[in-house]
Amino acid sequence: MTRAAPDPRKTLDPDRVAQWLACHPDFFVGREGLLQQLKVPHPEARGATSLLERLVHDLRSRAEQAEWRLEQLLESARHNEGQYRRTRELVLALLEAEDNDALGQALATQLAERFHTPAVALWCPASLTDAEPRPPQAPRQVLDDHAGQRLAALLDGRTSRCTRLTPTDWKRLLPHVPAPDKAGSCALSRLTLGEPLGYLVLASPDPDHFRASMDTLFTEYVGEVVARLLVRLAPASP
C-alpha cells in the first residue's frame, strides 16, 4: 500500500523557500509555464490572479507613485523658483533706496505686492535716527522702552518668531496701519549687526497667515539685509 505524498505546505518552511528562491533567481528560466500557473492574492479584490497579472499591477502602481513624486518635486521646484525671484526683486528694490525712509517704504511696498504682507513696521532705536534731519516716516518707528519690552516679550528669547497679534498689540506695534477687530498674526525678527538695531514686524489681519509652525528663515534673511542697509544709509553724526 503506497503512502500519500506529504502536503508540501506542511513540510516546507515558507521563509526557507523564499530564501532559496532569492538565492536562485534563475530557477524559473525554462519553467515559464510554471509562472503562468502560479496564483497570488489580488490586491484590490477577493480571489487570486496570475503572478504575471499581479506583477503588471504592481509595476503600474509603482509607475503611478513615481509620477506623483515627480510632480511633487516639479511643484516644489516651481515654488522655490518663484520664491527666489520675488526675494531677488525685494532685495534689489531695497538696495536702490537712497535713505532709510525710502528703505522702509520700499520694504513695505515689496512685501505687500510680492508676499501678500499688508502691514510692516521697522522699529529702530533713537541712536540710529537722532542724526536724521527729520523724524522717521512710516513704516519706520522710533523704538521706546514700552515697544521694546513688548517686542522682546513676543519674541520670548528667540531671534525670530511667528505668533498671534492681538488688536491691542497691533495698535501699539503698527500705529500707522488700522488695526483689525480680531487678532491677526505676525512674524517678528530682532535686528542686530554687532549691536541691537531694533525689530522688524510683518503682520497680517489673517490669524493663519503667520502660523507658529512656520519657518522664519525668510524673515531672518530680510532682517539681516535691512539691518546692514540701515547702518549704511544712516547719516553721519555731526
Side-chain angles (χ1 to χ4, degrees):
M1 181 177 179
T2 58
R3 298 194 320 183
D7 187 346
R9 292 175 296 181
K10 297 181 179 179
T11 59
L12 295 178
D13 183 357
D15 291 335
R16 295 186 62 183
V17 173
Q19 183 179 6
W20 189 90
L21 288 174
C23 295
H24 299 80
D26 58 347
F27 173 75
F28 289 102
V29 176
R31 300 182 176 90
E32 287 76 8
L34 179 59
L35 284 173
Q36 297 178 5
Q37 297 177 31
L38 294 177
K39 300 293 183 180
V40 294
H42 195 284
E44 297 179 354
R46 291 185 177 181
T49 185
S50 71
L51 179 60
L52 294 180
E53 290 179 353
R54 175 61 184 269
L55 289 175
V56 170
H57 178 277
D58 290 348
L59 288 174
R60 184 182 297 112
S61 177
R62 292 181 184 180
E64 291 174 352
Q65 292 177 9
E67 183 179 359
W68 179 83
R69 287 194 295 268
L70 177 60
E71 182 58 33
Q72 293 296 108
L73 289 174
L74 291 174
E75 182 63 29
S76 178
R78 287 190 288 266
H79 171 76
N80 291 337
E81 180 182 5
Q83 191 79 350
Y84 161 75
R85 291 182 180 276
R86 291 191 295 272
T87 303
R88 175 177 176 272
E89 294 299 325
L90 165 64
V91 173
L92 290 177
L94 297 182
L95 291 174
E96 293 176 355
E98 297 181 354
D99 55 39
N100 280 334
D101 277 343
L103 173 67
Q105 292 163 9
L107 179 64
T109 300
Q110 292 292 318
L111 288 174
E113 293 180 354
R114 302 187 186 280
F115 296 93
H116 307 291
T117 302
V120 176
L122 190 57
W123 288 89
C124 302
S127 59
L128 193 64
T129 62
D130 54 13
E132 297 180 359
R134 60 179 183 176
Q137 302 297 306
R140 289 204 301 151
Q141 305 288 340
V142 178
L143 185 65
D144 55 26
D145 291 340
H146 183 67
Q149 291 174 3
R150 187 56 192 149
L151 286 163
L154 288 173
L155 279 173
D156 193 25
R158 309 175 200 181
T159 302
S160 59
R161 182 189 183 194
C162 294
T163 186
R164 299 292 290 273
L165 191 66
T166 66
T168 300
D169 281 333
W170 185 298
K171 292 176 182 178
R172 182 65 189 90
L173 302 179
L174 297 109
H176 55 288
V177 181
D181 296 331
K182 298 181 180 179
S185 58
C186 68
L188 309 173
S189 184
R190 192 189 309 273
L191 304 180
T192 58
L193 190 61
E195 60 178 332
L197 294 176
Y199 299 87
L200 174 63
V201 183
L202 313 183
S204 171
D206 181 357
D208 295 323
H209 189 84
F210 296 106
R211 299 183 301 275
S213 59
M214 291 179 61
D215 187 271
T216 57
L217 182 62
F218 173 76
T219 309
E220 293 175 10
Y221 172 70
V222 173
E224 290 172 356
V225 174
V226 169
R228 284 160 173 77
L229 292 176
L230 283 172
V231 174
R232 180 184 301 178
L233 295 173
S237 301

